[in-house]
Each structure stands twice: as structure tokens, then as C-alpha cells.
Amino acid sequence: MWNLDGNLLHDRWKERSFAKEEKGEDFLWEERIEGRFARTLRLPGVVQEAKIEALYNDGILTVKLPRRSQR
């Protein structure tokens, strides 16, 4: 989830992943990662909030922030 406040972009997300699972005759062992993360980025200018695009794929977050025209 992201939030734009002037030229500050606040990004917050929660990650939950299961890294490994092993089953035996008398046990089940699971290893997982879970946590909340937050980041704030100061943008060099004002962006078009309605046109912000974000994509999270294979552990990579791509964010497109089109600049507002300066006319």
C-alpha cells in the first residue's frame, strides 16, 4: 500500500512466505518469513498521483511515477 503526501511517497507492505517444508514420520518442520516493512522516498518533483503504477514480481518492486508537466 502506498500513500503520496506532496513529494513524499510512503510505501508499506507485509510479507509472508514459506521458505522450506520438511515432513518426517513423526514431525513436520516449516520455515517461514513474516514481517511488516515501510519506506519513505522523497521525490525530486511533483508527480501525477492518478497515473502512479506499481508492480511486485519475483521479489522486485517496480514503481512508475510520471512527472506533472511544468507549464
Side-chain angles (χ1 to χ4, degrees):
M1 183 170 98
W2 59 268
N3 181 16
L4 186 62
D5 180 18
N7 69 334
L8 295 176
L9 178 67
H10 306 284
D11 187 19
R12 295 177 185 93
W13 68 97
K14 183 177 180 179
E15 180 181 18
R16 179 180 288 164
S17 64
F18 294 91
K20 187 175 181 179
E21 182 177 299
E22 187 176 323
K23 294 181 181 180
E25 190 173 310
D26 297 330
F27 68 92
L28 170 65
W29 178 59
E30 292 181 344
E31 186 176 308
R32 62 182 164 189
I33 300 169
E34 186 171 337
R36 295 177 188 261
F37 303 92
R39 177 177 293 148
T40 298
L41 301 171
R42 183 176 305 277
L43 305 175
V46 181
V47 299
Q48 298 177 35
E49 186 173 353
K51 294 186 178 182
I52 294 175
E53 296 178 27
L55 174 66
Y56 183 78
N57 190 17
D58 293 330
I60 298 173
L61 175 63
T62 303
V63 180
K64 294 181 181 181
L65 306 163
R67 290 184 184 186
R68 189 177 292 173
S69 62
Q70 298 178 356
R71 294 180 192 181

